[in-house]
């Protein structure tokens, strides 16, 4: 069904690339969706929604490599599955468990880490801030 949706893409090379991506990534995405949502129609819906999002964003993703698109698809699928679980009022096991460090933090190590981060170039510090403070992926 989804390869027919590729007709929404304007360029022949985009349609060919989408079809190739669909054929090579549909099964791995479905396995991931089944792990997250259980086998059945919900997993199929999550994969379908992921490929629809790829079509909708194809123009902005055109310059990315196939490997980058594969990672993009996996992230979108995971987020789609988590959204589906949230809508059902459920959370995954990982989200429901509070996180605690395995080893209690040592104040001296923490201060050393802060000093090390402060010596990094601004662009690297910004990446760490976005990832660990703003919780971006």
């Amino acid at each position: 069904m989804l390869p027919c949706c590729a007709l929404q893409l304007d360029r022949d090379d985009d349609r060919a690339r989408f079809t190739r991506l669909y054929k090579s990534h549909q099964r791995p995405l479905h396995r991931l969706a089944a792990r997250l949502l259980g086998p059945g129609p919900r997993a199929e819906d999550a994969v379908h929604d992921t490929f629809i999002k790829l079509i909708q964003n194809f123009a902005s993703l055109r310059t990315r490599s196939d490997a980058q698109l594969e990672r993009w698809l996996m992230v979108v699928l995971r987020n789609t599955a988590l959204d589906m679980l949230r809508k059902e009022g459920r959370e995954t096991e990982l989200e429901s468990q509070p996180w605690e460090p395995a080893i209690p933090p040592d104040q001296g190590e923490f201060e050393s880490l802060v000093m090390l981060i402060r010596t990094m170039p601004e662009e690297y510090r910004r990446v760490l801030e976005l990832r660990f403070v703003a919780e971006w992926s």
Side-chain angles (χ1 to χ4, degrees), residues 55-113:
I55 290 171
Q56 291 169 342
N57 294 288
F58 209 83
S60 63
L61 299 170
R62 186 176 287 128
T63 59
R64 294 190 183 188
S65 69
D66 285 356
Q68 289 172 319
L69 284 176
E70 177 183 12
R71 288 189 296 272
W72 186 89
L73 287 167
M74 293 292 183
V75 169
V76 170
L77 176 74
R78 184 200 65 204
N79 292 341
T80 300
L82 291 174
D83 287 344
M84 291 170 80
L85 290 171
R86 282 186 201 109
K87 284 180 185 175
E88 295 172 0
R90 294 182 7 196
E91 292 183 350
T92 63
E93 226 176 88
L94 286 176
E95 290 181 326
S96 62
Q97 296 176 358
W99 180 83
E100 295 181 23
I103 302 171
D106 177 20
Q107 190 63 26
E109 288 179 13
F110 176 76
E111 289 173 5
S112 297
L113 181 60

Side-chain angles (χ1 to χ4, degrees), residues 3-135:
C4 295
C5 295
L7 296 174
Q8 295 178 13
L9 298 170
D10 296 330
R11 297 171 24 181
D12 288 338
D13 57 331
D14 287 348
R15 286 191 287 276
R17 186 174 186 203
F18 174 83
T19 302
R20 188 179 72 249
L21 287 166
Y22 180 82
K23 287 179 180 178
S24 63
H25 298 299
Q26 187 270 340
R27 283 191 178 119
L29 287 171
H30 192 271
R31 281 192 297 272
L32 176 60
R35 264 195 359 237
L36 295 170
L37 298 167
R42 291 184 320 147
E44 293 168 12
D45 289 346
V47 173
H48 179 268
D49 291 351
T50 299
F51 280 108
I52 292 296
K53 290 173 185 172
L54 176 62
I55 290 171
Q56 291 169 342
N57 294 288
F58 209 83
S60 63
L61 299 170
R62 186 176 287 128
T63 59
R64 294 190 183 188
S65 69
D66 285 356
Q68 289 172 319
L69 284 176
E70 177 183 12
R71 288 189 296 272
W72 186 89
L73 287 167
M74 293 292 183
V75 169
V76 170
L77 176 74
R78 184 200 65 204
N79 292 341
T80 300
L82 291 174
D83 287 344
M84 291 170 80
L85 290 171
R86 282 186 201 109
K87 284 180 185 175
E88 295 172 0
R90 294 182 7 196
E91 292 183 350
T92 63
E93 226 176 88
L94 286 176
E95 290 181 326
S96 62
Q97 296 176 358
W99 180 83
E100 295 181 23
I103 302 171
D106 177 20
Q107 190 63 26
E109 288 179 13
F110 176 76
E111 289 173 5
S112 297
L113 181 60
V114 168
M115 293 303 294
L116 178 63
I117 292 172
R118 285 182 181 159
T119 63
M120 296 173 77
E122 173 64 27
E123 62 219 25
Y124 295 127
R125 287 195 315 262
R126 183 72 178 140
V127 169
L128 290 174
E129 176 186 332
L130 292 173
R131 174 64 182 104
F132 296 106
V133 176
E135 296 183 355

